[in-house]
Amino acid sequence: MITPGAGMGNGYVIQMALQRRFPNFKQKGFIQAGTPKGRRPIIFISEDASFAYEKYCIWEGLGLTGCSRVQTDANGRMHLGALNTAISDSKRRGYVPTMVVGTAGTPVLGAIDFLESLAVIAEREKMWFHVDGQLAGSAILSPLHKNRLKGVERSDSFLWSADKGLSAPFVTTILVTREENIIRKSFSFNSDLLFVPSPLYNNSKWDNGDNTMQTSRRPDIIKLWFMWKAKGQERLGRHVDYTYAMKDFAVSQLKGRPNFKLILQNFESNLVAFYFKPQQCPYIWYFPNSQEDCIKQKKITESIRENLLKQGKMTISVNTIPSKSRVPVFVMSLANSAITRDDVIYMIDLIEKEGNSQAKLLMPEKETIKSGIFWPIWRPTTPKPAAATPSNKIPKAPQTYSDFVSAPIESLHKTFFTDFFDAVLENGTYFQNSRKNETPAHFETPEDLLKKFDFSLSSPSGTMKENEAALLEIFSSIIKYSVHLGHPYDNNQFVMALDPYTIMGDYIIAAVNSPMLTYEDNPIFTLMEDELAKAVRKQLGYPEQGDGLVLPGGSASNEYAVMLAYLTKETKAKESGYSETNTTLVAFLSIAAHYSTNKGAFFSGIGLERAVYVAQDESGKMSVSDLRKKVAEAKAANKTPFLVVATAGTTTLGAFDPINEIADVCRDNKMWLHVDGSYGGASIFSSNATRKARQFTGIERTDSFNFNTHKAFGAVQDASIFVTRHKGILRKVAPPISEQEFNNKQLYDSSVYDTAVYQPFPDRRGQVFKMWFLWKAKGLQGLGAHIDAGYTLVDQVYEYLQMNSDRFILVHPKTPPECTTVNFYYVPERLRANATTMRNDPAFIQLLEPVQRQILKDVVSSNRLTISYKPAGDIPACLILSTYNTALTFADMVYMFNIIDHYGKNL
């Protein structure tokens, strides 16, 4: 599957390993894995592997002590002897070895662990063996370098980031497993709230929304698939070969210059780590650490990087490797296959020239260095001339490039870009005023679509130019067989409408293509996120100095809220894990709430059984009396209530839970209160004060809140704004800052602005720009008008259905919809005589349910309308239409009801 970045992908693997090692873990969590203070899982990773593993050890309940960093050898690979020792030691202390991670490309040295040997150890200890190939995994595509990953075929799972090794657009990470259906088995919840058996196809096989911790994912697979389809494996392999050749060339250049020190003599991926040795810091043989101490004290590496960045000449990573170097080092990536030898020389020249020009490196006589050793009097006071004179001249671009190149090249790609964007405007953008007569979809069953569309990734036979016409045909077919969210008659309740400003915003994000990792990587979007979170907190009445960030969807937000609540309640769990807390935590949610809270419970190690359902009242709201009852029962059973998830717009009925009353219960029982506003939360922007008071009274008393921009505002997927009233809470639950990967203290305050340090998805896309751009374009008043238009229309639709009660039965006829959703049953002609007298009879409603299923099948198959069909708690599945697409008119809604009538009246 495609994951929302390498960090979360590795987090998924930890969960699969836990569930395989402890078969009841998903249901019972760490209570099952061992009694409190008992046996606990532990995973093993290289000390030089990604910093993100600690995040997921904390999130998934293992704690920092459940994440064992293993010493590396002289070349940066996991030391096998140290691993065996760590395993033996952990078992002696009562831990259960659960997973070992082999890294294929560590973040600084690019080292590749001994994968074959790790496979043997994992098999011996019955551990899950995962290969984290986010950096060097692309070597599997190269016949020349594939052997570097020997042993990967024995792994249980393999993760690879094409946005690193192949320079694919960010984020493009794929996770594969050896065991069939293990991903589905580990993450599915089988909620009939969303995944009702379809009359159109086998959705238990083809619907993937329940197979991950997300629900609606961006179709990021298209980036990797389209690249592979365009270039073929042979060209992708040549890309890999070229980057390794450039790495070797960079190493040879650095070896030939006396002012540079390579950390390794040979590197196993396309990274090169080194530092600059100024003449002012000479090597003294009887003080072997003196040179590095001088460089570290004077911040030589950091100063060179900072000056080059400020001059706009070059960006380059600076990292630390405590086990290999006492000083921060430059890390040069050669993954861009548009880099030439001249470029490599030029970059090294820039570093050398800047290093030589820093007058502040000159040290006064007898200056005391950090170790307390005095610099010798005979130390040279002026630098020796460099071996070569570095050049300031930017190299000319090559006349020609290879066809596997991974950067936009005008001579290769500009014409194709023009043709592509013409096609996007002509075919891919549904301008509603001119394309309304087209169908919103071209539905095909999976079996038929497999016959009509060539999904294979066989290598293309022609040149890239010859293949471009075929690629445009592929693009046209993708558009044809995809649902058109911009069409007014695509009325899927969860994702409909397509805001033009966020389309443009998404293009900008793709063009910038920088991760939300550090401020240096993405300065504009980092500051935008802070401003957006502040503005949303203001709408809620939260303190100005709270916290907030943009997450990939409402499911991720709800799961994050579970983690924050649990770590706030059990402060020791961050270090020692959930099984050491000696408590049984219990969360509460409405029977109509989204199932992502349940997933958050098992992902955090609490277990599905600890997510307790609360009854709903007759209007679909959480019953506060039943909540009080369930909390009291939990406490009487010696359990610890820690979280209530209220919903602002339930998935099917759009009901708003009574927030203020629930806040009273949470206050009385010291529970975290999160409001899931994924569907209806954007109503906080409404200008209708009466409606807002009815929906959100007490919202300022909550601990956290989220809403999805891709629902009510029709923004391009996916972005959920998550905010909390608690300042610094996100940092409080995060692991210690990794000096290996976050070394920007001299440039700015990295503890404040490097968001990947503390947020759960270390490699996020800059999704914040879409909502910021939309807000900037429409303003607060315009956003409010957008929301109010949807409510005006839903009120009109409600009145229409009441007036046509012989054909339509409203699920809640006495109260107007609280959200931009109407829920109803269609009554065919043969049953209309009983519709008035039996509309409240459960047996009659059950009789109508198969009618709704057939209508769904017929209208979707006709390609005239897409519509939702879902149950709501104990209410049988009904038809659902939504009105938050502000391009819809009342006439459009009547037209949709007429289509339903056309296909349903004779059933």
Side-chain angles (χ1 to χ4, degrees):
M1 67 174 173
I2 295 292
T3 70
M8 190 62 183
N10 290 325
Y12 285 171
V13 175
I14 293 174
Q15 186 64 210
M16 289 188 285
L18 287 168
Q19 291 189 30
R20 190 175 75 173
R21 187 66 164 176
F22 305 100
N24 292 323
F25 184 84
K26 188 175 181 180
Q27 291 295 324
K28 298 182 179 295
F30 280 102
I31 297 301
Q32 179 272 336
T35 57
K37 306 292 183 182
R39 300 169 73 234
R40 296 171 49 205
I42 189 168
I43 70 170
F44 302 93
I45 51 178
S46 156
E47 65 178 336
D48 290 345
S50 167
F51 74 98
Y53 285 97
E54 276 78 5
K55 288 178 182 285
Y56 293 98
C57 282
I58 293 172
W59 189 347
E60 299 182 59
L62 286 80
L64 290 172
T65 55
C67 199
S68 177
R69 291 278 179 173
V70 180
Q71 178 186 345
T72 54
D73 65 15
N75 291 308
R77 298 170 294 204
M78 185 185 288
H79 193 289
L80 300 177
L83 173 61
N84 283 317
T85 300
I87 292 171
S88 298
D89 180 62
S90 69
K91 290 195 290 188
R92 188 171 58 254
R93 291 185 289 125
Y95 285 86
V96 181
T98 301
M99 181 172 89
V100 62
V101 179
T103 305
T106 55
V108 179
L109 293 179
I112 299 174
D113 290 335
F114 301 102
L115 303 183
E116 277 197 304
S117 299
L118 292 180
V120 172
I121 294 172
E123 185 176 346
R124 182 193 72 206
E125 299 292 339
K126 296 182 173 59
M127 292 189 294
W128 184 287
F129 175 36
H130 173 57
V131 174
D132 178 359
Q134 57 180 292
L135 182 68
S138 298
I140 61 172
L141 300 171
S142 165
L144 187 62
H145 296 285
K146 187 175 183 179
N147 197 53
R148 294 175 183 270
L149 302 184
K150 190 176 182 182
V152 69
E153 70 282 357
R154 300 178 62 180
S155 64
D156 293 288
S157 54
F158 172 70
L159 180 139
W160 163 45
S161 292
D163 50 58
K164 293 183 173 66
L166 295 181
S167 301
F170 198 80
V171 176
T172 311
T173 302
I174 189 164
L175 172 66
V176 294
T177 62
R178 170 182 295 278
E179 182 179 335
E180 187 177 9
N181 288 326
I182 185 67
I183 294 175
R184 183 185 298 270
K185 179 181 176 182
S186 299
F187 297 104
S188 64
F189 183 69
N190 299 319
S191 170
D192 61 1
L193 190 67
L194 293 181
F195 299 100
V196 182
S198 172
L200 294 159
Y201 60 94
N202 181 1
N203 59 330
S204 65
K205 179 179 180 181
W206 295 106
D207 285 358
N208 292 315
D210 195 25
N211 296 349
T212 74
M213 295 302 289
Q214 296 172 276
T215 300
S216 52
R217 293 179 294 154
R218 280 177 58 86
D220 286 317
I221 182 63
I222 186 61
K223 293 178 286 190
L224 179 56
W225 185 92
F226 200 63
M227 175 193 283
W228 199 317
K229 192 75 172 177
K231 296 184 177 181
Q233 183 171 336
E234 188 270 337
R235 287 189 179 95
L236 296 179
R238 285 198 283 125
H239 166 101
V240 173
D241 296 343
Y242 183 87
T243 65
Y244 274 93
M246 283 297 102
K247 177 265 299 181
D248 291 339
F249 178 74
V251 168
S252 69
Q253 283 292 306
L254 290 164
K255 283 182 178 179
R257 302 196 188 195
N259 281 353
F260 290 100
K261 167 74 173 179
L262 284 162
I263 304 303
L264 301 176
Q265 292 304 300
N266 294 292
F267 294 88
E268 294 182 291
S269 65
N270 50 31
L271 297 182
V272 181
F274 60 96
Y275 62 82
F276 179 77
K277 303 184 299 180
Q279 296 293 328
Q280 296 85 352
C281 293
Y283 177 77
I284 306 170
W285 67 269
Y286 52 88
F287 296 135
N289 295 326
S290 59
Q291 184 178 49
E292 289 192 347
D293 283 343
C294 171
I295 294 171
K296 183 177 181 180
Q297 185 185 31
K298 288 299 181 181
K299 300 185 182 299
I300 304 299
T301 310
E302 299 96 313
S303 296
I304 294 172
R305 189 271 299 268
E306 179 182 358
N307 289 345
L308 290 174
L309 179 63
K310 288 180 176 179
Q311 294 165 19
K313 293 181 177 179
M314 179 183 180
T315 62
I316 188 169
S317 297
V318 168
N319 303 97
T320 58
I321 326 166
S323 63
K324 303 295 176 295
S325 173
R326 297 164 64 89
V327 302
V329 299
F330 295 111
V331 182
M332 181 181 286
S333 171
L334 284 307
N336 182 352
S337 56
I339 290 175
T340 65
R341 291 188 170 206
D342 287 343
D343 293 324
V344 171
I345 294 171
Y346 175 70
M347 289 187 285
I348 295 173
D349 283 350
L350 284 177
I351 295 170
E352 188 166 24
K353 185 176 180 63
E354 182 61 36
N356 286 331
S357 67
Q358 293 189 53
K360 67 179 180 179
L361 298 183
L362 290 171
M363 300 173 63
E365 294 295 330
K366 299 185 179 180
E367 179 173 352
T368 304
I369 62 174
K370 193 170 185 179
S371 64
I373 305 298
F374 285 99
W375 223 232
I377 294 175
W378 47 263
R379 174 187 54 80
T381 57
T382 57
K384 292 179 181 179
T389 303
S391 171
N392 265 338
K393 190 174 181 180
I394 297 176
K396 290 183 178 180
Q399 293 296 312
T400 60
Y401 285 87
S402 299
D403 55 4
F404 58 76
V405 70
S406 60
I409 305 299
E410 186 172 5
S411 59
L412 292 177
H413 303 123
K414 187 172 182 180
T415 300
F416 184 58
F417 264 77
T418 302
D419 293 343
F420 175 82
F421 279 108
D422 284 346
V424 167
L425 282 174
E426 181 66 26
N427 300 316
T429 306
Y430 270 70
F431 294 104
Q432 296 199 16
N433 58 324
S434 60
R435 306 188 64 177
K436 203 168 184 177
N437 291 331
E438 298 180 20
T439 59
H442 290 84
F443 179 80
E444 300 283 351
T445 65
E447 293 75 17
D448 288 341
L449 193 55
L450 285 167
K451 297 174 184 175
K452 293 184 177 182
F453 189 93
D454 180 14
F455 290 95
S456 69
L457 290 172
S458 56
S459 295
S461 56
T463 66
M464 291 302 298
K465 284 291 184 185
E466 292 169 343
N467 292 335
E468 286 178 0
L471 293 174
L472 288 173
E473 285 297 319
I474 289 172
F475 167 73
S476 297
S477 294
I478 291 171
I479 293 296
K480 176 179 179 180
Y481 292 116
S482 298
V483 177
H484 309 308
L485 272 71
H487 197 288
Y489 304 138
D490 168 43
N491 202 281
N492 185 305
Q493 171 199 12
F494 302 120
V495 184
M496 57 183 273
L498 198 54
D499 178 84
Y501 296 105
T502 64
I503 295 175
M504 290 180 267
D506 209 46
Y507 291 159
I508 294 295
I509 295 168
V512 172
N513 198 37
S514 294
M516 296 281 286
L517 187 67
T518 67
Y519 172 82
E520 184 183 350
D521 289 320
N522 217 322
I524 293 291
F525 294 169
T526 297
L527 297 180
M528 277 181 182
E529 183 173 59
D530 185 64
E531 183 62 30
L532 179 62
K534 187 185 300 181
V536 173
R537 289 197 301 270
K538 184 177 180 180
Q539 291 297 114
L540 298 171
Y542 277 3
E544 183 180 354
Q545 298 301 318
D547 251 331
L549 69 165
V550 178
L551 294 173
S555 292
S557 293
N558 292 334
E559 291 148 8
Y560 193 41
V562 174
M563 188 263 284
L564 286 178
Y566 136 63
L567 290 172
T568 301
K569 192 72 170 181
E570 297 292 345
T571 55
K572 294 181 180 179
K574 174 181 173 179
E575 182 67 30
S576 57
Y578 179 50
S579 64
E580 290 287 303
T581 62
N582 210 18
T583 58
T584 302
L585 298 176
V586 182
F588 301 89
L589 67 158
S590 163
I591 194 172
H594 194 272
Y595 67 87
S596 54
T597 299
N598 306 79
K599 289 194 173 188
F602 77 69
F603 196 74
S604 294
I606 296 163
L608 285 173
E609 292 182 359
R610 310 295 176 245
V612 176
Y613 280 123
V614 177
Q616 61 182 358
D617 64 18
E618 62 179 9
S619 61
K621 302 174 183 290
M622 181 187 287
S623 167
V624 178
S625 61
D626 192 53
L627 172 62
R628 289 189 183 276
K629 176 185 173 185
K630 295 287 172 57
V631 170
E633 289 173 350
K635 294 172 80 171
N638 238 6
K639 298 174 182 177
T640 303
F642 79 105
L643 167 70
V644 176
V645 176
T647 308
T650 55
T651 304
T652 301
L653 296 179
F656 282 69
D657 290 338
I659 297 170
N660 205 38
E661 297 173 60
I662 295 171
D664 290 339
V665 180
C666 291
R667 176 201 61 204
D668 295 343
N669 294 276
K670 298 179 180 178
M671 293 186 290
W672 184 287
L673 174 54
H674 173 66
V675 173
D676 172 16
S678 297
Y679 189 49
S683 296
I684 60 168
F685 293 95
S686 170
S687 60
N688 187 317
T690 302
R691 182 190 305 115
K692 284 176 69 173
R694 185 171 65 246
Q695 294 173 332
F696 292 107
T697 295
I699 190 67
E700 73 284 352
R701 301 174 62 194
T702 63
D703 294 285
S704 56
F705 169 85
N706 74 280
F707 77 93
N708 288 358
T709 62
H710 53 272
K711 287 188 167 61
F713 290 123
V716 173
Q717 282 200 328
D718 51 11
S720 181
I721 316 300
F722 178 93
V723 292
T724 172
R725 64 182 299 106
H726 304 289
K727 181 182 178 181
I729 186 69
L730 306 187
R731 292 164 178 81
K732 186 177 179 181
V733 302
I737 294 176
S738 167
E739 291 275 329
Q740 178 173 301
E741 296 182 65
F742 296 95
N743 199 34
N744 297 315
K745 295 177 181 178
Q746 191 166 330
L747 286 166
Y748 54 88
D749 188 345
S750 58
S751 67
V752 174
Y753 294 109
D754 286 355
T755 58
V757 168
Y758 59 84
Q759 54 85 15
F761 297 88
D763 33 14
R764 293 179 300 153
R765 196 170 181 264
Q767 306 286 45
V768 61
F769 181 63
K770 290 178 288 189
M771 184 59 195
W772 184 92
F773 195 54
L774 177 63
W775 197 323
K776 197 75 170 177
K778 294 187 174 182
L780 187 59
Q781 185 176 357
L783 296 178
H786 176 108
I787 295 298
D788 293 339
Y791 277 99
T792 298
L793 184 56
V794 83
D795 289 343
Q796 293 176 309
V797 170
Y798 172 72
E799 292 178 8
Y800 174 85
L801 293 176
Q802 282 187 315
M803 292 171 59
N804 291 272
S805 58
D806 59 325
R807 293 183 295 151
F808 303 99
I809 296 177
L810 282 157
V811 172
H812 288 303
K814 297 180 182 179
T815 56
E818 281 196 294
C819 202
T820 52
T821 299
V822 285
N823 306 82
F824 61 94
Y825 299 97
Y826 177 80
V827 183
E829 286 184 347
R830 65 183 176 85
L831 296 175
R832 288 178 189 169
N834 300 321
T836 303
T837 58
M838 299 183 66
R839 65 175 55 246
N840 295 321
D841 185 342
F844 184 67
I845 298 300
Q846 288 289 351
L847 194 64
L848 290 175
E849 189 188 12
V851 174
Q852 318 311 306
R853 284 174 53 83
Q854 189 61 42
I855 290 172
L856 173 74
K857 180 179 180 180
D858 291 344
V859 297
V860 173
S861 298
S862 73
N863 293 318
R864 298 176 67 185
L865 173 66
T866 63
I867 188 171
S868 297
Y869 164 80
K870 298 286 184 292
D874 53 0
I875 298 172
C878 58
L879 295 177
I880 307 168
L881 285 176
S882 296
T883 62
Y884 62 78
N885 180 351
T886 51
L888 286 172
T889 65
F890 179 64
D892 288 324
M893 300 304 295
V894 172
Y895 172 76
M896 286 187 252
F897 287 121
N898 289 339
I899 291 176
I900 292 169
D901 187 50
H902 172 78
Y903 286 100
K905 63 183 178 181
N906 295 321
L907 293 176

